[in-house]
Amino acid sequence: MTWYILGAGSLGCLWATRLARAGQPVQLLLRDRQRLNAYRERGGITLSEDGRDSLYPLVAETVGHAGAPIQRLLLACKAYDAEEAAASVAARLLPGAEIILLQNGLGSQQAVAAHLPRARCLYASSTEGAFRDGDFRVVFAGRGHTWIGDERQGPAPAWLATLNDAGIPLDWSDDILERLWRKLGLNCAINPLTVLYQCRNGELAGHAEEVAGLCDELGQLLHARGHTDAARELQSEVERVIAATAKNYSSMYQDVAHGRRTEIAYLLGHACAEGRRLGLGLPRLNALHERLRGLLRQRGLPEA
Ligand code: NAP
């Protein structure tokens, strides 16, 4: 069974190269002819791992190509591209096709699932880290773990073990939404402040009261959504992450520093929208969202 990989960026390449070297058939789906030509000039994907570069000449085609039907797809683009990217391959998906959605935050997964009602959409949450240091070059920067689950329940697919065998450490989650909400809560309490204060994660220890105020409102939100354990544990988890990643710049900080679009609409934006839907006040989160949008506007970056 071929793994189709839509989104040959950091995580897409990290998955594609590991699957390919484990002998799994892999096919990349690239944006257009121009990207396909650029890929061919490079001769494949280069994975940099533990200081060593390896070239993987994987098969690639454009998303618009009328190729073979797709049973298994990894959607590895950013949250704001997910719905359009999924729509571009919809006609090739077999009924019951399985799609792993790698997007951070929440909201894009549900949009894709609504767009593709005949497919089985599985959501992933990953602590692995990778970045691109060139076109079709990816650096495996942080070992981590991935959880996959189905919002609509249903059994774990039999092929999960193949992913572990390919060196992608992964487990099935019976409550993937809770896992994604926990991660979203952490992100909302840390990342926007690192952008506004232009600081590393650790410097937020000097803004403890502000962080605690955000945790309080995020806790209310998690509680209202029924994630009571996550709500109770949020503040201590946030403090643990701030201490453990003190020297790091958050992903949102790095996106803004590099003039890249952020995934704010699927993180803080989603939290505020969900708060409104549930009738919660959440004044600190809403004010933070407004401040962050103002900063993005000033920098000429999209506010959503
Ligand atoms: P990325 O490096 O920006 O890669 C995204 C890729 O998607 C790009 O190669 C882009 O193509 C491609 N793409 C977008 N729209 C497309 C379309 N319509 N057709 C074909 N290709 C399309 O992003 P990433 O860092 O891998 O992140 C992917 C998701 O994983 C994000 O939600 C991110 O938050 C999450 N995540 C990332 C990490 C990490 O360490 N990187 C860790 C955890 C979670 P072009 O190259 O042509 O622009």
Side-chain angles (χ1 to χ4, degrees):
M1 184 76 72
T2 300
W3 283 95
Y4 285 86
I5 307 215
L6 202 174
S10 313
L11 279 197
C13 291
L14 192 57
W15 278 60
T17 49
R18 287 180 292 180
L19 286 166
R21 75 180 170 204
Q24 299 276 324
V26 170
Q27 176 114 16
L28 299 176
L29 298 173
L30 304 180
R31 197 185 281 278
D32 51 29
R33 197 80 220 166
Q34 200 182 344
R35 297 296 291 146
L36 185 59
N37 289 339
Y39 174 75
R40 289 191 173 142
E41 271 170 35
R42 301 266 162 185
I45 289 171
T46 301
L47 174 69
S48 176
E49 192 179 12
D50 303 324
R52 252 201 346 267
D53 285 2
S54 313
L55 180 70
Y56 294 85
L58 307 176
V59 183
E61 63 190 16
T62 61
V63 273
H65 179 74
I70 297 175
Q71 170 60 32
R72 202 178 285 167
L73 176 74
L74 180 73
L75 191 66
C77 55
K78 290 280 172 64
Y80 46 75
D81 283 327
E83 200 177 349
E84 196 185 322
S88 69
V89 284
R92 284 179 66 182
L93 295 174
L94 287 165
E98 292 159 306
I99 309 181
I100 300 181
L101 304 175
L102 273 185
Q103 289 64 46
N104 207 355
L106 277 157
S108 72
Q109 300 89 337
Q110 289 79 1
V112 170
H115 205 111
L116 304 174
R118 293 194 309 163
R120 185 180 190 203
C121 289
L122 304 173
Y123 306 170
S125 178
S126 182
T127 61
E128 292 196 308
F131 64 88
R132 292 194 267 182
D133 71 346
D135 215 12
F136 301 111
R137 287 185 51 90
V138 59
V139 179
F140 193 176
R143 307 269 161 194
H145 200 86
T146 301
W147 286 266
I148 291 186
D150 185 347
E151 179 175 7
R152 299 176 187 166
Q153 309 303 324
W159 43 257
L160 278 195
T162 358
L163 295 174
N164 274 304
D165 293 345
I168 303 173
L170 182 139
D171 276 304
W172 182 250
S173 167
D174 288 327
D175 194 352
I176 192 69
L177 275 190
E178 193 204 52
R179 210 164 259 288
L180 285 162
W181 267 105
R182 276 181 187 262
K183 195 171 176 204
L184 186 144
L186 279 171
N187 186 298
C188 291
I190 296 172
N191 296 24
L193 289 180
T194 64
V195 175
L196 291 170
Y197 292 124
Q198 286 295 288
C199 69
R200 294 175 198 264
N201 292 355
E203 289 166 53
L204 294 185
H207 299 276
E209 215 172 293
E210 197 170 3
V211 173
L214 293 175
C215 287
D216 178 53
E217 291 190 0
L218 288 162
Q220 291 175 41
L221 181 56
L222 291 172
H223 196 269
R225 284 208 44 101
H227 304 308
T228 43
D229 290 347
R232 195 180 53 250
E233 290 157 16
L234 181 68
Q235 183 159 349
S236 58
E237 188 61 4
V238 166
E239 287 164 2
R240 189 191 65 75
V241 170
I242 287 175
T245 62
K247 294 217 168 77
N248 297 1
Y249 286 110
S250 74
S251 54
M252 196 179 272
Y253 175 101
Q254 292 182 46
D255 282 342
V256 174
H258 289 102
R260 291 191 298 247
R261 182 175 177 180
T262 68
E263 296 183 296
I264 175 181
Y266 303 89
L267 297 159
L268 188 52
H270 187 79
C272 291
E274 193 62 6
R276 277 193 298 282
R277 193 184 69 79
L278 293 165
L280 301 171
L282 313 182
R284 295 186 186 96
L285 282 173
N286 283 302
L288 181 67
H289 191 208
E290 278 315 304
R291 281 167 70 198
L292 188 57
R293 289 175 60 183
L295 182 141
L296 295 174
R297 217 171 18 245
Q298 269 176 15
R299 303 277 182 108
L301 292 170
E303 290 171 47

